[in-house]
């Protein structure tokens, strides 16, 4: 018998793929131009959170004269930032369950109330001090969301080839705010004429005219910061969506672990814990160190303005270098560990150089303005620029744990190190001890 010609149906393959119309992948992802507006709003809020946190360190000599602060008072004002991370589990839970909008609105609300409390001018000095401390604490409560949400924002809104860059911008701009406070404070608030003697013997009292002038300039800075924070809070209230209508990538739309499963996964992942330790110790120490940089450099005869410029360039250099390295990591994948090793090696050499320079009585190495500037700036550049690379490495290591939970844990650890450092320096340091 001859073979009959096959029908159209018989020519279909035995292993049938999914429906032909669905086998061609539809467009599940889309990148929106408004992502830059969302990133800008978040970055500006993070910028102001950094400025408010670091208001007092760069003008500590002036604040000691104007409000009768001690060195311990200045350290505690900086310490309120890490203390604000105490309820970090609540904030990352809120970020995971309610999304970016609710979390950021709550953080912005804390910031605007804190900035308002600091700017209330009352004649009673003790009440004024309590209002300033309360404002700093409320600003610190915004830290868990501000410092942890950058990778979540970049994954939610940006395409994979822009994710590391967006993470770098969102996570480093808070450091940039702290850097600008090194410039804004010393330039707007005059230092007392007897700065050096005041640090050694606080019995020296400025004239009433000088003290009133310093108070007025500090009050001007507080009013300005409150005004900017209030405007940003209104902007976030008017427009800041949690997510775009369609995700920017398939990874952004994928299912993630639950909150409880994520915490268990992180705490049981030995590799993650080791990377978290490598991140938390250097970044935490340098963050606390830069917050009281003026007090650290005063015994080395560095003025308030010069200490401000050193802090400014160390953080700005780290931010610029960090964005550049993140852009490099976007184009070349698989080199995050090598980049971090090189950065940590550079930071180790720079910090050793700074330490030996400050111990000039023992090492007999020359201690000049150039060596102090260079070593401090290099430490800031290497450490601060490593932050976005670390965050990307964390996300890749523990996927599919949500980005907000992952970064919430590691930023808490970094701030824990900062808090321990400042707590030790505050209560260990005596009037005769140099920081």
């Amino acid at each position: 018998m001859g073979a009959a010609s096959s029908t159209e149906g018989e020519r279909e393959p035995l292993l049938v793929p999914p429906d032909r119309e669905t086998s061609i992948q539809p467009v599940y992802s889309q990148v929106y131009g408004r992502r830059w507006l969302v990133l800008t709003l978040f970055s500006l809020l993070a910028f102001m959170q950094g400025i408010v946190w670091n208001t007092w360190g760069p003008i500590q000599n002036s604040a000691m004269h104007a409000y009768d602060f001690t060195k311990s008072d200045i350290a505690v004002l900086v310490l309120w930032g890490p203390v604000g991370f105490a309820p970090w589990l609540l904030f990352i839970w809120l970020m995971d369950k309610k999304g970016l909008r609710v979390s950021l609105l709550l953080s912005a609300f804390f910031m605007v109330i804190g900035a308002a409390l600091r700017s209330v001018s009352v004649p009673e000095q003790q009440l004024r001090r309590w209002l300033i401390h309360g404002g700093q604490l409320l600003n610190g409560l915004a830290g868990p969301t501000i410092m942890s949400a950058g990778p979540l924002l970049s994954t939610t809104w940006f395409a994979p080839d822009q994710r590391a860059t967006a993470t770098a911008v969102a996570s480093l701009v808070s450091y940039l705010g702290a850097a600008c406070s090194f410039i804004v404070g010393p330039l707007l608030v005059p230092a007392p004429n007897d700065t050096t003697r005041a640090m050694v013997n606080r019995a020296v009292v400025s004239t009433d005219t000088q003290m009133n002038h310093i108070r007025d300039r500090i009050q001007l800075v507080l009013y300005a910061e409150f005004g900017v924070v209030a405007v940003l809070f209104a902007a976030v209230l008017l427009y800041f969506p949690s997510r775009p209508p369609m995700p920017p990538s398939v990874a952004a739309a994928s299912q993630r672990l639950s909150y409880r499963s994520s915490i268990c996964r992180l705490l049981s992942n030995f590799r993650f814990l080791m990377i978290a330790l490598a991140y938390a110790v250097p970044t935490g120490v340098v963050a606390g160190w830069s917050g009281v940089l003026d007090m650290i450099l005063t015994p080395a005869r560095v003025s308030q303005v010069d200490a401000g410029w050193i802090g400014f360039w160390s953080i700005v250099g780290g931010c610029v270098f960090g964005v550049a390295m993140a852009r490099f990591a976007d184009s070349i994948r698989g080199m995050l560990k090598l980049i971090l090793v090189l950065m940590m090696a550079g930071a180790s050499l720079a910090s050793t150089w700074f330490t030996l320079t400050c111990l000039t009585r023992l090492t007999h190495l020359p201690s000049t303005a150039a060596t102090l500037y260079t070593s401090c700036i290099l430490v800031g550049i290497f450490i601060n620029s490593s932050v976005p690379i670390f965050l990307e490495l964390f996300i890749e290591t523990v996927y599919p744990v949500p980005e907000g939970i992952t970064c919430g844990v590691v930023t808490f650890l970094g701030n824990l190190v900062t808090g321990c450092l400042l707590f030790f320096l505050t209560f260990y340091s005596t009037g005769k001890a140099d920081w």
Side-chain angles (χ1 to χ4, degrees), residues 44-46 48-49 52-53 103-120 131-132 134-143 146 222-237:
L44 289 175
L45 205 60
M48 289 308 302
Q49 202 267 343
V52 173
W53 169 73
S103 303
L104 200 64
L105 269 177
L106 181 60
S107 298
F109 176 75
F110 283 139
M111 287 177 59
V112 74
I113 298 299
L117 286 179
R118 298 189 322 156
S119 61
V120 174
L131 289 174
I132 291 174
Q136 291 296 124
L137 174 59
L138 287 174
N139 184 75
L141 289 174
I146 293 293
L222 298 181
Y223 281 143
E225 291 176 354
F226 168 64
V228 176
V229 171
V231 170
L232 290 176
F233 172 71
V236 173
L237 184 62

Side-chain angles (χ1 to χ4, degrees), residues 143-387:
T145 300
I146 293 293
M147 299 185 69
S148 305
L152 175 60
L153 184 146
S154 63
T155 303
T156 304
W157 285 90
F158 286 83
D161 61 342
Q162 298 176 338
R163 194 182 67 189
T165 304
T167 298
V169 173
S171 59
L172 289 177
V173 75
S174 178
Y175 294 85
L176 188 61
C180 287
S181 65
F182 280 111
I183 301 302
V184 173
L187 288 183
L188 294 182
V189 179
N193 295 329
D194 51 353
T195 295
T196 304
R197 290 163 50 197
M199 291 302 298
V200 179
N201 183 8
R202 298 188 66 254
V204 179
V205 180
S206 301
T207 64
D208 290 340
T209 302
Q210 184 188 24
M211 290 178 65
N212 289 334
H213 179 60
I214 292 176
R215 286 197 193 102
D216 291 341
R217 300 308 293 268
I218 293 177
Q219 194 66 35
L220 176 64
V221 172
L222 298 181
Y223 281 143
E225 291 176 354
F226 168 64
V228 176
V229 171
V231 170
L232 290 176
F233 172 71
V236 173
L237 184 62
L238 291 174
Y239 180 80
F240 193 92
S242 287
R243 60 182 62 86
M246 295 185 65
S249 64
V250 176
S254 61
Q255 186 68 28
R256 303 303 173 88
L257 296 180
S258 65
Y259 176 78
R260 179 178 297 181
S261 300
S262 298
I263 296 296
C264 295
R265 173 78 66 91
L266 294 178
L267 296 181
S268 62
N269 190 325
F270 181 76
R271 182 166 181 249
F272 166 78
L273 294 177
M274 290 298 98
I275 303 174
L277 181 66
Y279 166 84
V281 173
T283 58
V285 168
V286 170
W289 181 68
S290 63
V292 290
L293 186 62
D294 190 14
M295 282 193 286
I296 293 173
L297 295 180
T298 294
R301 296 181 178 85
V302 177
S303 68
Q304 180 171 285
V305 174
D306 286 337
W309 281 111
I310 291 176
F312 173 80
W313 286 117
S314 65
I315 298 177
V316 169
C319 292
V320 173
F321 192 62
V323 172
M325 294 306 298
R327 193 62 195 149
F328 175 73
D330 268 334
S331 58
I332 302 179
R333 311 300 296 180
M335 297 185 63
L336 297 180
K337 180 179 177 180
L338 176 60
I339 294 173
L340 287 175
V341 168
L342 294 176
M343 287 181 174
M344 292 298 103
S348 301
L349 293 175
S351 58
T352 302
W353 182 16
F354 173 79
T355 303
L356 294 177
T357 301
C358 290
L359 297 176
T360 182
R361 288 177 294 181
L362 299 177
T363 61
H364 302 290
L365 293 176
S367 178
T368 63
T371 57
L372 285 175
Y373 264 77
T374 305
S375 57
C376 282
I377 290 172
L378 286 177
V379 171
I381 287 176
F382 286 119
I383 294 297
N384 293 327
S385 62
S386 70
V387 171

